[in-house]
Amino acid sequence: MREVFHEASNLLEKNRSIVLATVVRTKGSTPQKPGAKLLVRDDGSGVGTLGGGCVEGDIWFAAKELMKNKGTAQHREYHLNEELAAEDGLVCGGTMYFLIDPVYEPSSYLSTSLEINRAYGGGPAVASATLIRSVNNLPTGAKLFIRQDQTTSGSLGSADLDTKAIQIANDLMIHGQNQYVVDDSGSEYFVEAYTTPPQLIICGGGHVSKAIAPLAKPLGFRLFITDDRIEFANKERFPEADMVVPLKPAEAL
């Protein structure tokens, strides 16, 4: 997701409109999990992925139509049934729920995207709660932005919802996780937290490192490998690594 928010900030600083499509909830087996994002630019191109296939293509088309018609945020549900599986060669059989969220006024979201980028880069953790369904007829896409110092901006429409969302966000900010919330009132919202990813530096590229490295990415680590033997420190041996440094550990660090 980091590249999505980097590109969002870049485009919004140029006063360009964008649409952010997010997987907010899933059931069963799906190609992507909650938090996956696709940014659609005003020229129709995009950054990120929602899992590929015809579902992503449909969301992409909907995002472009939304931008063309200046529509409001939408919530969509897709059942990955046998027909879709046959069409795309999928083995998934679950259900995916998406939020398609346009940003027409860059100034309304630029500060948020910049703060999220800072959180990814070592700054204070932040979180965003987005309204999906409301019992009070509030619009889908209403947002509450929460910072680590407990300052906030925006609202989900009620003090009670905001208070609960802040409590949930504080827990999620520790590890940069997300959660779909169905409130007792009947309202539903999605909370996403952002923080600097944990980093794993493996010194030496031998057989133990080769076994450890594939485990790092699914756990959310940024992965760095260092070894002064070029046959052990290369992208072919460690394709999952963010960086491979062919130096002795002391020099590489």
Side-chain angles (χ1 to χ4, degrees):
M1 289 189 298
R2 190 173 189 173
E3 69 277 8
V4 168
F5 288 106
H6 177 79
E7 181 63 5
S9 297
N10 178 52
L11 293 170
L12 295 174
E13 285 178 333
K14 296 176 181 176
N15 206 38
R16 291 176 61 180
S17 299
I18 61 172
V19 174
L20 286 171
T22 304
V23 180
V24 296
R25 187 161 57 121
T26 62
K27 292 180 182 178
S29 176
T30 58
Q32 283 283 10
K33 297 304 178 185
K37 288 186 183 294
L38 170 70
L39 179 150
V40 180
R41 302 181 182 94
D42 53 8
D43 63 3
S45 61
V47 176
T49 182
L50 301 174
C54 61
V55 172
E56 178 170 304
D58 193 65
I59 295 292
W60 199 313
F61 178 78
K64 291 190 289 185
E65 287 297 296
L66 198 67
M67 193 179 302
K68 183 171 69 174
N69 299 319
K70 298 297 181 183
T72 57
Q74 298 178 0
H75 177 243
R76 291 198 174 197
E77 174 182 336
Y78 287 85
H79 298 280
L80 305 183
N81 54 31
E82 293 180 3
E83 183 179 341
L84 285 175
E87 188 172 335
D88 276 349
L90 299 171
V91 294
C92 307
T95 304
M96 301 182 76
Y97 302 82
F98 300 90
L99 175 69
I100 311 174
D101 198 5
V103 181
Y104 301 124
E105 296 296 331
S107 60
S108 68
Y109 194 73
L110 177 58
S111 62
T112 295
S113 66
L114 289 173
E115 288 196 58
I116 291 172
N117 282 321
R118 283 194 289 271
Y120 274 127
V126 296
S128 179
T130 305
L131 192 65
I132 306 299
R133 286 194 177 99
S134 171
V135 295
N136 298 319
N137 295 319
L138 291 171
T140 295
K143 289 180 175 56
L144 171 68
F145 191 69
I146 306 130
R147 302 176 183 86
Q148 194 171 16
D149 64 5
Q150 301 304 291
T151 59
T152 64
S153 57
S155 175
L156 296 177
S158 77
D160 183 57
L161 281 182
D162 290 350
T163 298
K164 292 177 181 177
I166 290 168
Q167 292 172 345
I168 293 168
N170 286 334
D171 291 335
L172 297 177
M173 277 192 275
I174 297 171
H175 297 297
Q177 297 172 324
N178 60 64
Q179 183 177 335
Y180 192 90
V181 182
V182 180
D183 188 70
D184 292 340
S185 67
S187 293
E188 301 178 22
Y189 55 92
F190 183 57
V191 186
E192 301 172 271
Y194 309 95
T195 190
T196 307
Q199 301 182 66
L200 176 63
I201 302 173
I202 299 180
C203 298
H207 65 282
V208 174
S209 300
K210 187 72 169 66
I212 293 173
L215 305 177
K217 280 300 179 180
L219 294 173
F221 284 88
R222 296 189 69 207
L223 177 63
F224 303 89
I225 308 290
T226 173
D227 195 311
D228 62 338
R229 299 166 295 178
I230 191 66
E231 65 270 23
F232 287 96
N234 57 73
K235 288 294 287 186
E236 288 72 29
R237 184 171 174 80
F238 294 101
E240 58 279 292
D242 292 278
M243 184 183 295
V244 179
V245 185
L247 295 171
K248 292 180 178 179
E251 298 172 351
L253 292 174

